[in-house]
């Protein structure tokens, strides 16, 4: 059950981050703000569900600081210099989610 929840949470976050990058690409600031609120809301809900429903099964995830910093810098560069960096930020987020899943895979098997 936790594996399905973990995969669903990851896919929803990847989709929402992708939507945010898409709206950033076209300068739709209202949609970017709305998507960011949805991202924060989904992360808070997932943390609450993990805390109360899957407390014993929860896997401690490593925080990939370098990938997160690169993602933030890519978003900044995409807004200031070239829109290609926004796509790079989304790809970096996907790599971050894949690494987090690979860390937790041993627990799922």
């Amino acid at each position: 059950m936790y594996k399905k929840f973990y995969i669903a949470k990851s896919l929803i976050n990847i989709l929402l981050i992708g939507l945010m990058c898409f709206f950033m690409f076209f300068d739709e600031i209202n949609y970017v703000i709305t998507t960011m609120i949805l991202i924060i809301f989904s992360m808070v809900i997932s943390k609450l569900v993990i805390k109360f429903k899957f407390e014993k099964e929860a896997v401690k995830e490593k925080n990939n600081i370098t990938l997160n910093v690169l993602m933030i810098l890519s978003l900044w560069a995409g807004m200031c210099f070239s829109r290609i960096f926004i796509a790079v930020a989304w790809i970096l987020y996907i790599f971050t989610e894949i690494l987090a899943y690979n860390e937790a895979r041993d627990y799922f098997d």
Side-chain angles (χ1 to χ4, degrees), residues 17 21 71 86-98:
I17 295 288
C21 291
M71 185 181 74
I86 293 175
V88 171
W90 187 55
I91 292 168
L92 284 171
Y93 185 76
I94 291 173
F95 283 139
T96 305
E97 285 290 335
I98 289 171

Side-chain angles (χ1 to χ4, degrees), residues 37-96:
I37 291 170
L38 287 173
I39 291 167
I40 293 169
F41 184 69
S42 73
M43 288 182 178
V44 167
I45 292 292
S46 67
K47 291 294 180 187
L48 288 173
V49 168
I50 288 171
K51 182 178 179 181
F52 292 114
K53 184 165 173 95
F54 300 113
E55 185 175 2
K56 294 179 183 176
E57 299 152 335
V59 177
K60 295 289 182 187
E61 297 175 2
K62 290 182 183 175
N63 190 4
N64 297 311
I65 293 175
T66 54
L67 285 176
N68 289 334
V69 168
L70 284 174
M71 185 181 74
I72 291 169
L73 288 174
S74 295
L75 287 173
W76 172 76
M79 294 303 288
C80 295
F81 301 114
S82 175
R83 300 288 183 191
I84 300 300
F85 289 108
I86 293 175
V88 171
W90 187 55
I91 292 168
L92 284 171
Y93 185 76
I94 291 173
F95 283 139
T96 305

Side-chain angles (χ1 to χ4, degrees), residues 59 100-109:
V59 177
Y101 179 77
N102 284 337
E103 291 171 5
R105 182 188 293 169
D106 294 335
Y107 176 78
F108 297 144
D109 291 338

